[in-house]
Amino acid sequence: MIDKLLGLAVNIFTLVTNIILVPINAYIREYLPSVIDSIIIISDFFVSLKDIMVWCVSFSGLSQYAIDLIIAYYIFKLTVPHLASTFKLVLKWWDTLVA
Amino acid sequence: MNFLKRVFNSFAWQFGKYLFFVFIIIIILLLTGKGVFALESEQWTDGGLSSNITDNVVLSSESDYSYTDYSSNYIRNFVYTQINQAYYDSTLSEIDFYKQYNYVVFPLSSSTIRIYIQDYNILMDYQGLNPIEGNDTKFFFWNIYCSNYQANITTHYLNIGVFYNMYIDLNYNTESFTWSNYASLSNVYREYISSYATSGFPYSMNLKLYDSYNNNFAWVESFASEWISQFNYNFRWRDIGQFNFGYIYPIYYYGLMDFPTLSNVATPPTDNENGGSDSGGIDINETNNLIRDLIESGISNINSVLDELKSIKEIIAGGFRDILDWLNNSGDYSGISSIFEDFQQDEYGLQQFILLPLEFIQALSTEGCVSMSVELPYVDKTFYLPCMKSIYEQHFGSIYDMYLIISNVVITYWVGIKCYFLVRELVDPTIESIEVFDL
């Protein structure tokens, strides 16, 4: 269930990003087509950096269990505190309103 | 001094002490194979093929692959021919002939296999439906875990042969042990082509056997039914492409075939038991005399086999193997990678910049060990960095195993401590800060 929720959040984030960037991409494609190549070159550079980072992680020889655990921790750290803070905020508002 | 005092009084130190003792206890249980950490029956086993599998990972050419066929027709024709040759060859006795092989199967009939194991000098009958004979249809199902992914290669070839993995329970006085070995079902290999290879996900491959008496195999792609029981079938494989498969998951058996049962363990056969009527001129009485001699010598050697199996070296090796099996099988854990199952993005535009962290995490959670090749500009050469995990396993062996265990424990401890403090802040109503990102 938590996996599905986090997967949903990832997909929503991707969808929103695409929606925001659609007019920008369309503008570039229509009026600045030569910029596309430079964007792709820069994008490929970052993808290469990503590949190097992934290889460096695999170079460390850590097991998939350890990598999954670290990723799970950061997913937990970056998502659950927001939910808890929101819950605390709701409780604080409720106390203020009731008082 | 105050700093040290604070460190020793901190919760992390106190908690760490308990974790350390728990870790020591778990290590002791693993080494001794006691309790729930024995992991003998629940975990899949490869029937002693793990070393071969590890060796095969790095094989790249067909000539490097050593394969011995012990299938029915092969044994029937080859072994009996060799028996006759040994019988008439005065320079090589029959016992010496058998001792050339670690493992020999005699297909006595459609329901009995006679097995001679040279390493332990034991001979026994294995009675039941011979899995390598019969015309009924047999289904097999297994998963392959891919440990290496190269994005530029879209077609991969994998040849697979199926082996029958047998487990034999031997009882001697009040002690018993289980011995396992494997036999080939066929030397027929299937060439597997994958165009959607992604590491981290197991491949589902299916096999349908029919009329296996003639070694004819039909492979089916679709499989839609539940398997009834996990059974001891394994397969060996080799990689003929640039695609390294790291781990092999258990094969599930599905079909109408009865499970073979062991009987007549180390019991001298009678003259009437021999079913090798189509042996092509073999002397039955001489064969049975030979078998009887082998059984008598085999019984005398069972004690040494038990001592060997009970040695502390085996126990320690088994304990570490269990740990590594568990670590390797943890790749089947799809909790992280499933988050990114539907994650897609366009190749064009600015999404690449924004979604790169997600793509990075997705790659970490799914690709595992990767190799990398970079085209160097101006010099027209390719800079290749191989997947290091297989190299570690090949060259460092037990040191790498120890590194895996220690690193897992350290990371687990670190994550546990961090999660504890995170949760402790969450449950404190006076703390409202949000720790967003402090990488």
Side-chain angles (χ1 to χ4, degrees), chain B residues 197-244:
Chain B
T198 303
S199 66
F201 296 103
Y203 289 88
S204 296
M205 299 182 67
N206 309 299
L207 163 65
K208 176 184 176 185
L209 298 177
Y210 73 95
D211 194 16
S212 57
Y213 183 81
N214 296 319
N215 280 335
N216 293 323
F217 286 77
W219 304 83
V220 292
E221 292 295 340
S222 61
F223 183 85
S225 181
E226 59 180 7
W227 45 86
I228 56 174
S229 174
Q230 180 177 344
F231 199 48
N232 301 324
Y233 281 91
N234 277 314
F235 60 94
R236 298 178 71 182
W237 54 274
R238 62 189 175 91
D239 178 19
I240 60 174
Q242 302 179 49
F243 200 39
N244 291 328

Side-chain angles (χ1 to χ4, degrees), chain A residues 2-92:
Chain A
I2 295 176
D3 295 344
K4 295 299 179 186
L5 288 175
L6 292 175
L8 181 65
V10 169
N11 283 296
I12 289 175
F13 180 71
T14 308
L15 179 64
V16 171
T17 306
N18 288 332
I19 290 173
I20 293 173
L21 291 178
V22 159
I24 301 174
N25 285 332
Y27 182 83
I28 293 174
R29 192 182 300 111
E30 185 69 22
Y31 299 105
L32 301 169
S34 59
V35 178
I36 294 175
D37 293 336
S38 61
I39 291 176
I40 291 177
I41 289 173
I42 297 172
S43 176
D44 289 344
F45 172 71
F46 281 105
V47 171
S48 299
L49 283 182
K50 184 265 296 181
D51 292 339
I52 293 173
M53 292 172 69
V54 172
W55 184 85
C56 289
V57 172
S58 67
F59 177 78
S60 67
L62 292 175
S63 66
Q64 193 62 40
Y65 161 77
I67 296 173
D68 282 354
L69 195 62
I70 294 172
I71 294 173
Y73 165 69
Y74 279 108
I75 290 175
F76 176 80
K77 180 180 178 180
L78 298 177
T79 54
V80 174
H82 288 80
L83 297 175
S85 176
T86 306
F87 185 69
K88 288 179 184 178
L89 188 63
V90 170
L91 288 180
K92 191 175 180 181

Side-chain angles (χ1 to χ4, degrees), chain B residues 62-304:
Chain B
E62 188 172 355
S63 60
D64 292 336
Y65 182 74
S66 61
Y67 171 71
T68 304
D69 183 277
Y70 290 122
S71 60
S72 174
N73 290 334
Y74 188 87
I75 288 296
R76 191 184 300 276
N77 297 326
F78 174 76
V79 173
Y80 285 165
T81 303
Q82 293 300 315
I83 287 175
N84 285 330
Q85 179 183 346
Y87 182 76
Y88 292 110
D89 189 354
S90 59
T91 61
L92 183 65
S93 68
E94 294 183 12
I95 294 178
D96 290 336
F97 162 73
Y98 285 117
K99 287 184 177 179
Q100 294 178 91
Y101 301 93
N102 293 329
Y103 172 66
V104 179
V105 174
F106 303 89
L108 296 181
S109 67
S110 62
S111 61
T112 305
I113 310 174
R114 184 159 293 171
I115 307 160
Y116 171 65
I117 304 103
Q118 187 265 336
D119 290 343
Y120 301 103
N121 201 16
I122 293 174
L123 191 141
M124 63 194 68
D125 285 349
Y126 197 71
Q127 202 166 49
L129 183 62
N130 189 345
I132 57 178
E133 292 185 347
N135 295 322
D136 55 335
T137 302
K138 306 168 182 66
F139 290 93
F140 297 88
F141 172 82
W142 65 84
N143 290 332
I144 303 171
Y145 181 78
C146 170
S147 66
N148 188 12
Y149 173 62
Q150 291 180 336
N152 296 328
I153 299 175
T154 56
T155 303
H156 311 278
Y157 299 92
L158 180 69
N159 286 355
I160 290 178
V162 177
F163 281 70
Y164 172 55
N165 191 14
M166 61 187 67
Y167 288 82
I168 301 167
D169 295 321
L170 289 180
N171 298 310
Y172 181 72
N173 292 334
T174 58
E175 297 176 291
S176 64
F177 68 92
T178 299
W179 185 84
S180 65
N181 204 342
Y182 62 94
S184 170
L185 283 179
S186 171
N187 59 352
V188 177
Y189 283 89
R190 180 204 189 194
E191 189 176 73
Y192 177 60
I193 302 174
S194 170
S195 59
Y196 50 88
T198 303
S199 66
F201 296 103
Y203 289 88
S204 296
M205 299 182 67
N206 309 299
L207 163 65
K208 176 184 176 185
L209 298 177
Y210 73 95
D211 194 16
S212 57
Y213 183 81
N214 296 319
N215 280 335
N216 293 323
F217 286 77
W219 304 83
V220 292
E221 292 295 340
S222 61
F223 183 85
S225 181
E226 59 180 7
W227 45 86
I228 56 174
S229 174
Q230 180 177 344
F231 199 48
N232 301 324
Y233 281 91
N234 277 314
F235 60 94
R236 298 178 71 182
W237 54 274
R238 62 189 175 91
D239 178 19
I240 60 174
Q242 302 179 49
F243 200 39
N244 291 328
F245 289 83
Y247 314 110
I248 295 180
Y249 277 68
I251 300 174
Y252 295 95
Y253 165 72
Y254 173 79
L256 303 175
M257 188 175 71
D258 293 328
F259 292 162
T261 56
L262 180 67
S263 64
N264 300 330
V265 176
T267 301
T270 61
D271 292 341
N272 297 326
E273 284 185 4
N274 197 302
S277 58
D278 55 347
S279 58
I282 185 172
D283 191 329
I284 303 300
N285 293 327
E286 289 292 331
T287 304
N288 281 334
N289 290 333
L290 167 69
I291 290 168
R292 189 175 292 110
D293 294 339
L294 292 174
I295 290 170
E296 290 172 356
S297 58
I299 292 174
S300 64
N301 286 331
I302 288 181
N303 265 332
S304 62

